[in-house]
Amino acid sequence: MHIVRKVTDDITWIGSDDSKVRTFEDHYPVDGMTYNSYLLKDTEKTVLFDTCDKSQNKIFLDNLKYALDGRKPDIIVVHHAEPDHSATLGFVMSLYPDAKIASSAQAKKMIEQFTGVDISDRHILLKEGTEISTGKHTLKFISAPMVHWPEVMMTYDSCDKILFSADAFGKFGSRNGKLFDGEVSFDSELENHRRYYTNIVGKYGTQVMSVLKKAGLLDIKLICPLHGYIWRDKISDIIEKYSKWASYEPEIKGAFIAYSSVYGGTQEAAEYLANKLSENGVDALIKDVSHTDKSYLISSSFKYSNIVIATTTYNCEIFETMNEFLSCLVSHAVKNRKYSIIENGSWAPAAGKLIKEKLDGLGGSEYVGNTVTIKSFPSDENLAELDKLASDIKSSL
Ligand code: FEO
């Protein structure tokens, strides 16, 4: 059994598609996941680029054997030592003991930590600018620390003009049998790309910008990531999105209203505000943080220019699920957003002040309008304050 596909005359996709898996990294909800691996069969050397997740061991090894067609890998390039791409490396190293392992110094340490095998006698050290000739192809290595771990390298193949981009330009979700970007609608997959990027590497915008700068100097015909589709037809579209995400520039001028509500009063305020914003021609999106996975909340926070935090006070603190979301905003370093606050509390509302303290550490945060303070359910006075807030948000766009 094998499932493979040609990428170019010399390079074959030998990855795997786990359409059963429902969480990535054991917590992000996904509808399947693709783990990409590629095999270069050149005139002098055979190179395997990365392996795959342990759940895909059988099909991956079948694909590798089939694509090798009697050859053996001379070099195994490990772009990224995270186990979703290297869990099967131990098996492959045992099957092909003569194959050299090419990676950064930090990846070597991680491979040894994960496999328990000292690979010093078969290791090729990759640094920024290292080149390896395999016959027709010359592979040039690019350091890409923190995209997504510190050991990450990318490879540029100057013969086929391919950038092997590690986790960058990947996505959540199954590939549904498709391999190239032109086989799917860009817009229909955009949330899978956004949610993947913002949650996995969203914090490391500076490092991503640095890699985008290096990539901008290359003549790229194909981008081969470790997840999702191979980019061929829409490279400029995805690079434009990455440039926005990495520089924390919102895609949409509008308001993402994140609320938590115990008995419905805060929900009413959030819905009143959304209605008023839409009436004023402002794009609004509402999500209940108590019933929405945080990965979707982070994705929406990267997408919108304005974020409205509407929540109750609970045990003299910010309501728990909202507190978790705000911690996520801080840990993902979502910068340059305009915040508005609606606080609720039946006897001692205090969430607004605590929210500001929590968001203080985020660079470029601004506050729009006055904090609206609700006691249990919105009063007529509150509705007037929400009207004013809608108007202030519109003016801030
Ligand atoms: Fe797809 Fe960072 O591993």
Side-chain angles (χ1 to χ4, degrees), residues 24-25 33-35 80-85 147-149 151-152 166-168 196 200-201 226-227:
F24 179 68
E25 292 187 353
M33 202 69 205
T34 300
Y35 308 99
H80 184 16
E82 191 168 8
D84 55 329
H85 310 293
V147 188
H148 141 231
W149 279 12
E151 86 296 1
V152 170
D167 272 342
Y196 171 83
I200 301 296
V201 284
L226 287 174
H227 301 287

Side-chain angles (χ1 to χ4, degrees), residues 90-378:
F91 291 102
V92 178
M93 290 197 301
S94 314
L95 279 173
Y96 304 103
D98 296 329
K100 303 284 188 202
I101 313 302
S103 79
S104 67
Q106 203 157 9
K108 174 181 179 285
K109 279 189 201 158
M110 291 180 179
I111 292 164
E112 291 175 340
Q113 285 165 200
F114 279 114
T115 62
V117 177
D118 181 349
I119 59 168
S120 300
D121 62 348
R122 59 190 296 190
H123 185 250
I124 299 171
L125 177 63
L126 302 180
K127 294 181 178 173
E128 174 78 19
T130 301
E131 290 192 11
I132 296 176
S133 173
T134 59
K136 283 188 324 189
H137 297 247
T138 298
L139 307 176
K140 185 168 182 175
F141 296 91
I142 300 163
S143 182
M146 300 319 296
V147 188
H148 141 231
W149 279 12
E151 86 296 1
V152 170
M153 303 288 295
M154 297 183 182
T155 300
Y156 179 64
D157 169 11
S158 55
C159 176
D160 282 342
K161 304 194 185 315
I162 298 178
L163 178 67
F164 293 92
S165 63
D167 272 342
F169 308 110
K171 74 172 194 93
F172 284 145
S174 170
R175 68 188 181 96
N176 296 302
K178 293 143 183 110
L179 187 62
F180 291 95
D181 58 354
E183 295 162 9
V184 291
S185 143
F186 184 81
D187 288 343
S188 71
E189 285 286 355
L190 185 55
E191 176 60 6
N192 277 330
H193 284 103
R194 184 189 296 110
R195 193 165 62 89
Y196 171 83
Y197 171 86
T198 57
N199 285 279
I200 301 296
V201 284
K203 181 172 185 161
Y204 303 107
T206 308
Q207 290 86 340
V208 174
M209 286 303 283
S210 158
V211 169
L212 288 176
K213 209 168 157 188
K214 291 187 213 175
L217 303 174
L218 302 171
D219 178 12
I220 296 172
K221 296 280 186 276
L222 294 172
I223 296 177
C224 290
L226 287 174
H227 301 287
Y229 305 112
I230 294 174
W231 296 94
R232 181 171 61 187
D233 302 328
K234 295 162 190 168
I235 290 176
S236 58
D237 297 301
I238 194 64
I239 285 184
E240 186 191 332
K241 290 293 179 191
Y242 263 62
S243 301
K244 278 208 158 90
W245 297 334
S247 57
Y248 304 96
E249 185 187 332
E251 289 168 73
I252 289 182
K253 288 191 173 184
F256 167 41
I257 303 172
Y259 79 86
S260 66
S261 187
V262 180
Y263 290 111
T266 315
Q267 179 183 358
E268 283 191 359
E271 289 176 0
Y272 182 91
L273 179 66
N275 184 61
K276 195 51 74 176
L277 285 167
S278 297
E279 198 175 287
N280 288 333
V282 177
D283 186 0
L285 174 75
I286 295 189
K287 285 192 196 294
D288 175 356
V289 302
S290 300
H291 297 282
T292 308
D293 184 80
K294 285 189 282 300
S295 63
Y296 291 92
L297 304 174
I298 289 297
S299 178
S300 298
S301 302
F302 269 77
K303 186 174 174 183
Y304 282 85
S305 59
N306 289 53
I307 302 174
V308 179
I309 306 292
T311 192
T312 44
T313 305
Y314 202 82
N315 289 333
C316 305
E317 297 283 348
I318 304 164
F319 188 71
E320 197 167 312
T321 51
M322 182 59 79
N323 205 20
E324 286 168 7
F325 166 52
L326 296 176
S327 295
C328 246
L329 276 178
V330 173
S331 69
H332 286 77
V334 186
K335 296 175 191 142
N336 305 335
R337 292 298 179 271
K338 294 172 181 169
Y339 292 95
S340 302
I341 296 171
I342 302 169
E343 63 177 357
N344 196 349
S346 292
W347 62 94
K353 179 171 168 283
L354 297 169
I355 290 165
K356 283 190 176 172
E357 284 172 12
K358 191 127 188 166
L359 296 177
D360 266 356
L362 284 174
S365 296
E366 286 175 41
Y367 291 94
V368 174
N370 295 324
T371 296
V372 176
T373 301
I374 296 166
K375 291 278 189 76
S376 305
F377 274 82

